[in-house]
């Protein structure tokens, strides 16, 4: 292996330590930061994600509330819960775990979250703020990727970044953040012919498709930074990303492993967004 590993666990430990110190300071002022996590249905992957988010909150000294509902919950009932959490002064961040059951309009639910508590950064107000360069919550996974680039001291200005995937959660906000950081950005997706043509020109590749081996060694420029957002399973059940790690790590300059790369950073940035929301609330409270 020639690439250097970007250790998401080590960076998360450092950043979560900073969050814990900020949480302790706020708690000492009488305002304990709080995150509400809402899970509807019994998607097994969602259950694991949600459990990890609640555990991370507790470890960092944040208050967390997990609301679990049966898959039959109506959209109206969920909207009523979101509204109640919007009004709750002990809650500074609201996260409704996606995907939601098919009978619930996820866009409608996300739009019901107060933008000042939208710590996932999924509300159109947050997406719009990111688009025009105004202050707002950044989606946690792309935000974590940017922190990883910062961690290795990588200068993004003038570099060519290729983002594979155009989801609202990762691909699109990732492209916006890289653009804001003065990279030249190409977004590739399922209708892109000859993906390798683009990735071979890239100084930074972000793979966010949700499919194994989307990026192989022959598609990577020597020395490139490769950030793997994928979370898949091999045929024998082992966790793996979108990148052929064994091959690409022979060519890239830097690479994130799966597990232990981008995954822990997503939760870390959720904690960062929640603490920022709580700090803003503390400033606006008339005390
Ligand atoms: N489903 C998969 N990733 C996420 C995430 O980061 N936030 C929410 N709310 N749902 C998800």
């Amino acid at each position: 292996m020639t690439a250097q590993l970007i250790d998401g666990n080590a960076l998360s430990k450092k950043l979560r330590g900073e969050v814990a110190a900020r949480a302790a300071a706020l708690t000492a002022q009488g305002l304990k930061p709080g995150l509400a996590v809402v899970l509807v249905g019994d998607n097994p992957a969602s259950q694991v994600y949600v459990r990890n988010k609640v555990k991370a909150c507790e470890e960092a000294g944040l208050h967390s509330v997990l609301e679990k509902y049966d898959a039959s919950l109506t959209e109206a009932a969920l909207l009523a819960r979101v509204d109640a959490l919007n009004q709750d002064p002990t809650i500074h961040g609201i996260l409704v775990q996606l995907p939601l059951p098919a009978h619930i309009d996820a866009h409608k639910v996300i739009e019901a979250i107060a933008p000042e508590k939208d710590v996932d950064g999924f509300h159109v107000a947050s997406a719009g703020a990111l688009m025009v360069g105004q202050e707002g919550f950044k989606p946690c996974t792309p935000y974590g990727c940017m922190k990883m680039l910062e961690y290795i001291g990588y200068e993004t200005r003038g570099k060519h970044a290729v983002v594979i995937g155009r989801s609202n959660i990762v691909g699109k906000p990732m492209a916006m953040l890289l653009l804001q950081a003065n990279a030249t950005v190409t977004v590739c997706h399922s209708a892109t012919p000859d993906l390798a043509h683009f990735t071979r020109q890239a100084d930074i590749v972000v793979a966010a498709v949700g499919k194994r081996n989307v990026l192989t060694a022959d598609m990577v420029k020597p020395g490139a930074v490769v950030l793997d957002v994928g979370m898949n399973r091999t045929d024998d059940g082992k966790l793996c990303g979108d990148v052929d790690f064994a091959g690409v790590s022979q060519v890239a300059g830097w690479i994130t492993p799966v597990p232990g790369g981008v995954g822990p950073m997503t939760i870390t940035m959720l904690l960062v967004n929640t603490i920022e929301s709580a700090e803003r609330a503390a400033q606006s409270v008339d005390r």
Side-chain angles (χ1 to χ4, degrees):
M1 166 160 155
T2 57
Q4 297 190 62
L5 273 189
I6 312 177
D7 185 343
N9 284 327
L11 177 55
S12 283
K13 193 168 172 209
K14 174 177 173 281
L15 295 175
R16 290 186 199 192
E18 291 166 13
V19 167
R22 288 161 72 182
L26 275 179
T27 305
Q29 287 175 42
L31 189 145
K32 187 160 178 148
L35 174 71
V37 179
V38 181
L39 175 64
V40 185
D42 49 14
N43 180 310
S46 291
Q47 288 185 349
V48 175
Y49 292 145
V50 157
R51 208 179 313 130
N52 289 341
K53 287 168 186 176
V54 168
K55 185 165 160 259
C57 274
E58 279 158 16
E59 284 169 2
L62 277 72
H63 162 61
S64 71
V65 180
L66 173 57
E67 296 196 5
K68 279 184 170 181
Y69 298 102
D70 192 82
S72 63
L73 185 77
T74 64
E75 184 181 279
L78 180 56
L79 290 170
R81 276 315 302 150
V82 169
D83 192 45
L85 292 166
N86 283 340
Q87 311 299 328
D88 185 340
T90 69
I91 294 299
H92 306 98
I94 302 169
L95 181 152
V96 178
Q97 187 67 24
L98 303 178
L100 286 168
H103 67 278
I104 298 178
D105 180 345
H107 289 294
K108 204 164 159 186
V109 173
I110 290 166
E111 295 332 309
I113 297 171
E116 65 272 18
K117 295 190 180 186
D118 173 39
V119 289
D120 253 335
F122 292 173
H123 194 287
V124 286
S126 305
L130 179 60
M131 178 94 178
V132 299
Q134 282 181 4
E135 200 176 293
F137 291 113
K138 301 177 189 80
C140 303
T141 301
Y143 191 13
C145 288
M146 295 307 292
K147 283 282 170 194
M148 290 180 121
L149 292 173
E150 194 183 303
Y151 181 54
I152 62 168
Y154 193 82
E155 174 55 86
T156 48
R157 171 178 284 273
K159 299 290 175 20
H160 186 189
V162 170
V163 178
I164 317 173
R166 55 175 158 177
S167 69
N168 290 332
I169 294 182
V170 184
K172 286 183 208 167
M174 186 77 245
M176 282 298 143
L177 287 170
L178 286 162
L179 194 58
Q180 227 170 55
N182 295 305
T184 301
V185 183
T186 302
V187 182
C188 297
H189 46 78
S190 50
T192 302
D194 197 3
L195 177 63
H197 165 78
F198 296 96
T199 58
R200 277 192 206 113
Q201 299 172 41
D203 302 301
I204 304 164
V205 183
V206 182
V209 178
K211 215 166 92 187
R212 280 164 58 192
N213 297 333
V214 156
L215 193 75
T216 49
D218 57 305
M219 299 167 72
V220 176
K221 176 160 118 177
V225 180
V226 175
L227 305 177
D228 190 352
V229 176
M231 194 80 92
N232 312 299
R233 296 263 170 201
T234 62
D235 292 336
D236 52 6
K238 268 177 53 186
L239 206 57
C240 70
D242 289 353
V243 174
D244 168 26
F245 184 86
V248 171
S249 59
Q250 301 298 321
V251 182
W254 294 90
I255 190 166
T256 61
V258 177
V262 175
M265 289 301 295
T266 297
I267 298 185
T268 299
M269 301 324 291
L270 175 68
L271 300 180
V272 169
N273 280 347
T274 305
I275 202 82
E276 276 175 13
S277 176
E279 284 171 351
R280 273 182 227 149
Q283 279 164 12
S284 65
V285 165
D286 201 12
R287 355 180 103 251

